[in-house]
Amino acid sequence: MDRRTFLAATAGAALASTGPGVPPISDSERQSRVEKARRLMASNGMAAIFVEPGSSLYYFTGVRWGRSERMFGLVLPARGEPVYIVPGFEEDRAREVIPAGNEVRIWQEDENPEAKAIEALRDRGVHTGRIGIEENVRFFLFDGLRKAAPALQFVSADPVTAGCRRIKSPAELAILTRANEIALAGVRTACATLHEGLAHSEFADSCEAEIRKLGSPRADVTVTFGKQSASPHGSIRPQKLKDGDVVLIDAVCDLLGYQADITRTLIFGKPTARQRTIWELERRAQDAALAAVRPGATCESIDAAARNVLVSAGYGPDYKLPGLPHRTGHGIGLDVHEWPYLVRGNKTKLEPGMCFSDEPMIVLPGEFGIRLEDCFHVTEEAAKTFTPQSESIDHPL
């Protein structure tokens, strides 16, 4: 399309209002998460789990806290009330973010915080058994805990944390929907500013600014032009937009702690026959992945559905280039990338409420890359995307 038509097609965001537009997760929902965690602890033979600041702590408690060399941890037992272990000199600030009524135990600079955590476990009747360690707990904390309690067995808490988090509630789905809508609307508005000679980093900044205007506190946009679009996660090489370039925009943003992740690929100017063919093939691969989604299907079968489209067209096979060099998709929620993953070898079965990206990129080294990415959730029957898919190379947004 010519420049005037291009700007008309991409101008204007679908979302006019700023702010979240959806309610945050309620205290009652967080309490139900804790109760589910306790049920999963019981069924997996765990007496408790240990969590430090990050997405899982936020998921269960709503508490945010920066990590440092000092332990700030949560002991969540299968029976009994949770206990926070916090640095003594930060107690007042910690109590500002910890829900009222929760027990807080402090440790001083000359004390062993791991011993305080083990003491909390023993006060809850835990002297032996299995303690789940959340996957993002740093090694020095894990090592300190096991040295402080050699009678305890420390295991992965994934059956509990992933067991809770991978199925999203209606409230979570509403936030994820809004977050992805914001990401797409921000990108759409920013695309009206594309012009010859524009630097890729400058355009990324514009996308992020438009996304923040719509209510996201944090946006992270990767932009590549022309041949650099064949680099799946971008390039630091300076890029200036010119007529006929592929423009690949990968936008991530945050809303109430939940993450959006969308990618759009368009042509600045008139698409070549080669660009059109590859773009349409990418869309067919993305469609094939969505069509394969149903409860009970395996994660690897979704990857295979998209990859088979490309192999049938002569690309690949496997992860060979030209073709698809990475998995078809990832789980998404409080983390941009979380379990489970749509990749060969993952036989996890899909369940209603699971959320994923669908992004089977086509990489043509030395030429360009095309990626279309929409996130979706599994319903009782199929996949439902959070955003409308890219319609065509002529109407990409």
Side-chain angles (χ1 to χ4, degrees):
M1 67 180 76
D2 61 30
R3 174 170 163 73
R4 180 177 297 178
T5 305
F6 175 81
L7 293 179
T10 58
L15 302 179
S17 61
T18 60
V22 287
I25 301 300
S26 66
D27 291 341
S28 61
E29 179 161 330
R30 292 198 192 278
Q31 185 56 42
S32 70
R33 294 170 176 180
V34 170
E35 294 308 318
K36 182 177 180 179
R38 287 175 168 150
R39 293 194 298 272
L40 289 172
M41 284 184 231
S43 62
N44 286 278
M46 296 183 201
I49 63 171
F50 178 81
V51 183
E52 69 163 321
S55 53
S56 286
L57 181 67
Y58 181 71
Y59 176 83
F60 289 115
T61 69
V63 171
R64 294 188 186 277
W65 192 267
R67 294 186 181 192
S68 73
E69 75 282 6
R70 296 181 173 94
M71 177 194 283
F72 180 109
L74 172 68
V75 174
L76 180 58
R79 295 180 181 178
E81 294 305 308
V83 182
Y84 290 86
I85 313 297
V86 307
F89 78 100
E90 293 189 294
E91 179 182 3
D92 289 345
R93 188 165 73 91
R95 289 186 182 277
E96 291 177 352
V97 297
I98 293 172
N102 282 253
E103 183 177 353
V104 175
R105 298 194 182 189
I106 65 170
W107 60 275
Q108 301 299 344
E109 296 285 86
D110 60 347
E111 293 183 307
N112 184 331
E114 291 85 359
K116 292 285 186 179
I118 297 305
E119 180 184 81
L121 283 170
R122 289 171 179 159
D123 289 347
R124 298 297 188 269
V126 179
H127 300 278
T128 60
R130 289 154 49 94
I131 307 300
I133 300 295
E134 200 267 346
E135 66 178 326
N136 289 304
V137 172
R138 292 165 293 174
F139 178 80
F140 76 91
L141 294 176
F142 158 68
D143 192 43
L145 289 167
R146 66 178 178 177
K147 287 176 178 175
L152 295 174
Q153 181 183 0
F154 293 91
V155 299
S156 170
D158 281 4
V160 176
T161 53
C164 288
R165 287 178 53 188
R166 68 184 181 184
I167 305 296
K168 272 60 177 182
S169 70
E172 290 178 288
L173 295 177
I175 296 171
L176 285 164
T177 299
R178 175 70 178 183
N180 281 275
E181 289 172 348
I182 285 173
L184 182 56
V187 167
R188 181 186 295 118
T189 300
C191 279
T193 69
L194 285 168
H195 61 270
E196 196 105 14
L198 177 67
H200 78 292
S201 56
E202 184 180 348
F203 180 55
D205 290 343
S206 295
C207 290
E208 292 173 3
E210 293 298 336
I211 290 170
R212 288 193 297 270
K213 287 179 185 177
L214 290 168
S216 171
R218 185 192 66 83
D220 184 9
V221 178
T222 299
V223 170
T224 48
F225 295 154
K227 292 182 179 180
Q228 299 308 318
S229 63
S231 179
H233 278 167
S235 171
I236 63 172
R237 295 177 182 175
Q239 301 158 49
K240 299 285 188 178
L241 186 62
K242 62 183 184 298
D243 187 62
D245 270 351
V246 168
V247 178
L248 193 151
I249 312 153
D250 188 344
V252 172
C253 74
D254 175 286
L255 188 70
L256 298 174
Y258 288 83
Q259 309 302 307
D261 194 4
I262 64 106
T263 303
R264 291 294 181 265
T265 303
L266 48 95
I267 311 301
F268 185 70
K270 183 178 180 180
T272 65
R274 172 76 159 163
Q275 290 169 337
R276 186 177 297 276
T277 296
I278 300 303
W279 197 102
E280 292 173 352
L281 179 62
E282 164 69 3
R283 175 58 198 268
R284 291 201 299 274
Q286 190 192 36
D287 287 347
L290 290 174
V293 173
R294 66 183 186 282
T298 61
C299 286
E300 69 175 358
S301 71
I302 312 306
D303 179 83
R307 202 171 297 276
N308 288 343
V309 170
L310 304 185
V311 172
S312 296
Y315 294 96
D318 303 320
Y319 303 100
K320 295 179 181 178
L321 297 180
L324 170 56
H326 55 66
R327 64 195 174 212
T328 291
H330 54 79
I332 191 165
L334 287 171
D335 291 312
V336 179
H337 291 185
E338 62 181 43
W339 4 246
Y341 296 95
L342 302 179
V343 65
R344 180 187 301 159
N346 188 351
K347 300 186 185 302
T348 301
K349 292 184 178 180
L350 303 187
E351 300 177 59
M354 285 184 173
C355 298
F356 300 92
S357 71
D358 176 11
E359 48 177 319
M361 181 178 187
I362 302 176
V363 172
L364 308 180
E367 293 187 72
F368 58 85
I370 304 289
R371 182 166 69 238
L372 301 173
E373 178 184 13
D374 293 278
C375 291
F376 68 90
H377 65 95
V378 182
T379 72
E380 295 291 341
E381 298 177 348
K384 182 175 182 180
T385 58
F386 294 120
T387 41
Q389 290 174 266
S390 195
E391 182 180 324
S392 69
I393 196 170
D394 298 308
H395 299 283
L397 294 165

